[in-house]
Amino acid sequence: MAFWGYILVVGLTLVGSYLLLTRVMGQEAASRNLRYALPWIVVGFAIAVIPFLVTLGGQIVWSVLYLGYVVSIGVWLLHWPRRKRKAGALLLNAGRTWHNKFLFWIGIAEVGVATMITWISWVSLTEFADTSNGVVHTSLAVAFWWTLALLIVFLGLNKLELRENGLCFLYNVVPWKRMKSYTWEVTHPSTLTIRVRPRLIFLPDTMSIKVPEMYRDDIDRVIQTYIPFSPPDSLALS
């Protein structure tokens, strides 16, 4: 029951997010963003779902996945100041984008989920006899959900910055040398779409960002000094 409930919640969240993105950014930009985020969605979904499907040694598999996730996210966030410094001097701070604000409220909802899971886990440990392995497994499960919630909140508080060596967005640095061209969506003029050279061949080659309208012209002035403008129609085949 828990497995199918999780599948339903994830499915409804993805559909709702896509419909909202379509309204805010346009269908083409929303589809590109979904393709761009899909590999990371698959990874996160696998981490949460695999333990439901594993019967033999399930707790061990689950615990290892949770521990790996918590450590990797912790290292990634702690390493952010150094990665941002390597991106060079700040050229423009465009503040929080629509994506950041949307993720922030998703993160708040995840905090509620993490709180509920923490309470359920505490009740299960106090009311039922458990082994030391069970305590470790439950603790890692709680740590996983709190790490996920705090990660999404931090992403929501992050800001779009244009720097000497690249663009900083959602705790990622995209170097200018990896960007091939940019354009503004015709139907949604404040949606910036950038064609990039993906790190891996199976990753998408475009990303779209709904930037604050008050910074649109400033962003355009900075970006055009590093990468060429491309007509919107040129992305139709991407």
Side-chain angles (χ1 to χ4, degrees):
M1 182 63 69
F3 172 75
W4 292 111
Y6 181 80
I7 295 294
L8 178 62
V9 170
V10 171
L12 291 176
T13 300
L14 290 177
V15 171
S17 299
Y18 176 74
L19 293 176
L20 185 57
L21 282 173
T22 299
R23 181 176 181 180
V24 173
M25 304 173 60
Q27 184 174 359
E28 292 184 1
S31 298
R32 295 189 200 108
N33 264 24
L34 185 60
R35 292 198 301 269
Y36 193 84
L38 190 60
W40 315 115
I41 294 175
V42 170
V43 171
F45 183 75
I47 291 175
V49 168
I50 286 177
F52 285 111
L53 306 179
V54 175
T55 54
L56 182 60
Q59 277 197 355
I60 296 177
V61 173
W62 205 341
S63 297
V64 170
L65 288 173
Y66 281 164
L67 179 61
Y69 182 85
V70 171
V71 171
S72 60
I73 293 300
V75 171
W76 184 63
L77 290 175
L78 290 173
H79 193 248
W80 173 240
R82 181 179 179 184
R83 287 185 286 134
K84 191 162 69 168
R85 283 197 301 271
K86 291 180 66 176
L90 178 66
L91 303 177
L92 175 65
N93 182 349
R96 295 170 63 212
T97 68
W98 181 89
H99 297 80
N100 296 113
K101 296 173 182 178
F102 177 70
L103 285 171
F104 176 78
W105 290 111
I106 293 293
I108 294 299
E110 284 291 338
V111 168
V113 172
T115 302
M116 181 182 66
I117 290 175
T118 302
W119 179 76
I120 293 174
S121 300
W122 181 80
V123 169
S124 67
L125 288 177
T126 55
E127 291 188 358
F128 302 98
D130 210 339
T131 63
S132 58
N133 288 337
V135 172
V136 171
H137 162 71
T138 302
S139 300
L140 288 173
V142 170
F144 165 81
W145 287 105
W146 275 106
T147 300
L148 177 61
L150 293 177
L151 169 64
I152 299 176
V153 170
F154 289 156
L155 290 174
L157 295 174
N158 196 235
K159 297 178 180 180
L160 172 64
E161 295 182 354
L162 279 61
R163 292 180 171 266
E164 281 183 319
N165 301 323
L167 180 150
C168 295
F169 183 58
L170 298 179
Y171 286 95
N172 279 302
V173 177
V174 184
W176 298 119
K177 62 183 179 181
R178 281 188 52 215
M179 304 182 202
K180 297 190 290 186
S181 63
Y182 80 98
T183 192
W184 298 96
E185 298 294 324
V186 175
T187 56
H188 295 75
S190 60
T191 296
L192 171 67
T193 296
I194 301 173
R195 178 174 287 171
V196 301
R197 296 178 177 86
R199 296 183 184 277
L200 300 174
I201 192 171
F202 60 84
L203 295 178
D205 63 352
T206 55
M207 59 182 293
S208 295
I209 306 172
K210 178 76 172 179
V211 305
E213 292 185 10
M214 62 184 296
Y215 290 109
R216 182 195 183 282
D217 293 339
D218 294 329
I219 291 173
D220 188 77
R221 279 193 291 270
V222 173
I223 290 183
Q224 67 179 311
T225 63
Y226 292 96
I227 54 177
F229 176 81
S230 178
D233 293 343
S234 66
L235 294 176
L237 299 177
S238 64

